[in-house]
Amino acid sequence: MCGICCSVSFSIEHFSKELKEDLLHNLRRRGPNSSRQLLKSAVNYQCLFSGHVLHLRGVLTIQPVEDEHGNVFLWNGEVFNGVKVEAEDNDTQVMFNSLSACKNESEILLLFSKVQGPWSFIYYQASSHHLWFGRDFFGRRSLLWQFSNLGKSFCLSSVGTQVYGVADQWQEV
């Protein structure tokens, strides 16, 4: 399983260019083969993407993956069917290529409705400033979210951290 995370802030004064150390530690444990962070900024928000890969199939694809249009993709999963993945292919790259070929929201939804296997993902669509995320119907790959700073930031992650005395800090998507 990979460790994927996206921290979004709508307030410059509350934005941190680094994840909290305990969250980063938990993410690294999920992906020992590579780790990388990527910062995307716009006028109204900033996103910090963090990917930690456990390499299983095909060529190692370091995450987060970014294309020439500024789209960013994080994937934690395995494609068993629904989208063609050859034995030498990497699921992350195949899914990102498939997403890049989508022309509208309906095609993105259709793509994920076809994927069979355990998965969760985070996809930043730069042209529309949309952040897509989700997981398979059965929830076989974790994806959590946390809201903080009075609605000025939120975080999506495949792992969470526990702060003693604070209830319901991380919740399942």
Side-chain angles (χ1 to χ4, degrees), residues 50-157:
S50 188
H52 308 271
V53 177
L54 173 61
H55 181 234
L56 295 176
R57 171 163 67 172
V59 176
L60 173 63
T61 301
I62 296 172
Q63 295 188 52
V65 181
E66 183 178 22
D67 67 13
E68 65 277 1
H69 304 293
N71 300 317
V72 177
F73 185 60
L74 292 161
W75 174 256
N76 176 23
E78 296 177 79
V79 178
F80 297 152
N81 210 344
V83 175
K84 189 174 184 177
V85 180
E86 300 292 342
E88 67 277 359
D89 290 339
N90 179 279
D91 296 37
T92 303
Q93 196 61 56
V94 168
M95 289 302 299
F96 191 45
N97 293 344
S98 298
L99 272 171
S100 296
C102 292
K103 294 175 180 50
N104 55 47
E105 294 175 2
S106 296
E107 289 183 9
I108 292 172
L109 294 172
L110 181 62
L111 171 66
F112 283 104
S113 73
K114 292 191 289 186
V115 178
Q116 295 176 17
W119 53 267
S120 64
F121 78 97
I122 302 170
Y123 175 58
Y124 171 71
Q125 193 174 24
S127 63
S128 62
H129 302 279
H130 285 138
L131 186 65
W132 295 82
F133 57 91
R135 59 189 192 155
D136 71 88
F137 179 78
F138 298 107
R140 293 172 286 184
R141 291 291 190 263
S142 61
L143 190 60
L144 310 170
W145 57 12
Q146 174 191 59
F147 298 89
S148 58
N149 295 325
L150 301 172
K152 294 181 181 173
S153 68
F154 73 95
C155 189
L156 294 161
S157 181

